[in-house]
Amino acid sequence: MSYYRQQNRSRLTVGQDGNSLVMLIAINLVAFVLLAFIKVIYYFTYGKEGVPIYHDQVLDWVALPADFSTFITRPWTLITHFIVHDSVWHIIANMLWMWCFGYIFQDLAGNRKLIPVFIYGALAGAVAFMLSYNLLPPLREHLSEASAIGASAGVMAIAIAATALAPNYRIFPMINGGIPLWVLTMLFAIIDLATIPYNNPGGHIAHLAGAGTGFLLIVVLRKGYDWSLWMNNVYDWANNLANPDKPKKGKELKTQLFYKSNVQPFKKRSNVTQQRIDDILDKINQKGYQSLSEEEKEILKRASQEDLM
C-alpha cells in the first residue's frame, strides 16, 4: 500500500485494502487450516495414535501453557496461542462473533484500532489465565496439563470496546426496532462468569480479562490516550522499510516534495487559438519577428506543429 494512501476508512468492504477485520479473520483461518492439514498427516502416518502425537509434538508448542516453567521455554506461545484453534466449532464461533462486533467497532472507531484492541485483550487474557492456574488453589492441581488456545479473549475485548463506545447501538432492527448492543455483550459476560465453576474456568477468566481490557482501552481513549498508537507506528515503520515512496526521516512532506524539488510542479502554457495566432502574425507584420516575446514564439512553434497556421 502506498505511503500516501488513506489509512482510516469507514464502511470497509471485504475486498478492500487495509481492512483490518478481514486480515485478522484471514490470519486465524490460515492458521487453523495449516494445523488441520498437519493433524491429517499425523493421522494417516500413525493411525489412531496420530492425534495424541500431534498434540504432543505440534499443538502443545503453539498453545499457551499455564505453568510458568514451561512457558519460559516457549515464550512465543504468548503470541501464537490466540490465533490457534483446534475445533471447527471453536473457530466458527469466534470468527462469527469477531465479524459481528469487529464490523461495528471498525465503523465506530476506525480501521487502525481493531487489531491493537484484539492483541491487548488476548495478552491480558493470557496473563489472567496463567495467574489463575498458579494462584488459585482449585486450579493449581491442574497446572501441569493446562494450556490455552483461541481468540476468545481478544474477541471479547473487541465486543466490550464496541459496546463502551456505543452501548445503544442496535442490531437486528427487524426485532422490535433492534436489540441494544449492551444487552448482548452483558449476556455473554454473565454467561462467562456463571460457567467458571463448571467448564474451562481458566478460559472464562481469560475472557473476562479481555473484556475488562477492552473497556479500559476505551476509557483511556476518551481521556486522550491512544494505546494503539505505538502499535500502528511500529506497523507503519515495518511496512515502509522498503517503500521508495516513504519520505526521508526528518523532512516534512511539503518540504521534500515541493520546496526542494528539482523540477517545477507545473509549466505555464498559453492556449493556442486562431485569434491569438492572428494577433501574433499582425505584430510580426508591423514590428518584425524580433519584437515577439518568448511566449509568443512558443505559441507560433506549437501552432506550426499542430498545423494551425
Side-chain angles (χ1 to χ4, degrees):
M1 191 175 190
S2 173
Y3 187 85
Y4 303 105
R5 290 181 57 185
Q6 185 178 355
Q7 296 292 327
N8 294 326
R9 289 165 290 192
S10 61
R11 301 296 182 186
L12 294 173
T13 58
V14 172
Q16 192 171 5
D17 291 341
N19 191 328
S20 298
L21 178 59
V22 172
M23 182 189 305
L24 195 55
I25 292 176
I27 291 172
N28 280 269
L29 291 177
V30 168
F32 174 76
V33 172
L34 178 61
L35 290 176
F37 180 73
I38 296 173
K39 182 192 280 189
V40 170
I41 293 177
Y42 270 82
Y43 175 77
F44 284 124
T45 302
Y46 300 103
K48 293 182 179 180
E49 298 297 326
V51 174
I53 296 174
Y54 159 80
H55 280 81
D56 292 337
Q57 296 184 356
V58 179
L59 189 62
D60 285 350
W61 288 87
V62 291
L64 179 72
D67 191 345
F68 283 115
S69 60
T70 306
F71 170 73
I72 292 174
T73 64
R74 307 170 189 177
W76 59 85
T77 58
L78 188 64
I79 303 299
T80 59
H81 84 279
F82 56 72
I83 60 170
V84 172
H85 299 79
D86 194 43
S87 165
V88 174
W89 293 114
H90 190 196
I91 191 169
I92 288 177
N94 275 343
M95 295 305 102
L96 282 176
W97 287 117
M98 182 184 291
W99 175 262
C100 294
F101 288 108
Y103 182 83
I104 295 171
F105 183 74
Q106 271 195 155
D107 191 36
L108 295 171
N111 187 45
R112 289 168 64 86
K113 289 182 173 57
L114 179 73
I115 293 180
V117 169
F118 173 81
I119 293 176
Y120 274 121
L123 294 179
V127 173
F129 175 81
M130 288 192 291
L131 288 177
S132 65
Y133 273 94
N134 282 272
L135 299 179
L136 299 179
L139 302 182
R140 196 180 301 163
E141 59 186 46
H142 304 290
L143 178 63
S144 59
E145 67 268 16
S147 61
I149 58 173
S152 302
V155 174
M156 185 64 78
I158 293 173
I160 297 298
T163 306
L165 279 175
N168 292 320
Y169 189 105
R170 293 184 176 270
I171 58 177
F172 307 122
M174 71 290 299
I175 304 176
N176 197 26
I179 302 174
L181 192 59
W182 70 267
V183 174
L184 190 61
T185 51
M186 183 64 69
L187 178 63
F188 277 102
I190 292 174
I191 291 175
D192 259 326
L193 186 62
T195 54
I196 286 177
Y198 303 104
N199 180 35
N200 189 21
H204 292 300
I205 291 174
H207 300 170
L208 295 176
T213 302
F215 181 77
L216 177 63
L217 288 171
I218 300 305
V219 170
V220 298
L221 181 63
R222 285 173 170 165
K223 293 184 177 180
Y225 301 99
D226 186 357
W227 289 1
S228 68
L229 188 61
W230 72 269
M231 285 191 187
N232 288 317
N233 289 338
V234 170
Y235 173 79
D236 290 340
W237 172 80
N239 194 42
N240 288 287
L241 281 177
N243 189 348
D245 294 331
K246 179 186 177 183
K248 295 180 181 179
K249 183 177 181 181
K251 294 187 177 181
E252 295 183 4
L253 292 180
K254 63 181 182 180
T255 301
Q256 182 177 348
L257 298 181
F258 300 104
Y259 300 138
K260 295 186 178 180
S261 177
N262 294 326
V263 296
Q264 293 180 344
F266 68 92
K267 183 177 181 180
K268 181 180 179 181
R269 301 183 70 179
S270 301
N271 291 330
V272 179
T273 63
Q274 189 62 49
Q275 180 64 40
R276 182 70 166 138
I277 294 172
D278 292 341
D279 291 342
I280 294 174
L281 293 176
D282 290 341
K283 184 176 181 180
I284 293 175
N285 290 333
Q286 296 175 8
K287 299 181 181 180
Y289 181 81
Q290 66 276 6
S291 65
L292 298 181
S293 65
E294 292 298 325
E295 179 185 358
E296 291 170 333
K297 292 178 181 178
E298 177 64 21
I299 291 175
L300 283 180
K301 182 179 178 180
R302 290 171 53 199
S304 63
Q305 292 174 350
E306 298 175 9
D307 197 22
L308 297 177
M309 295 179 60

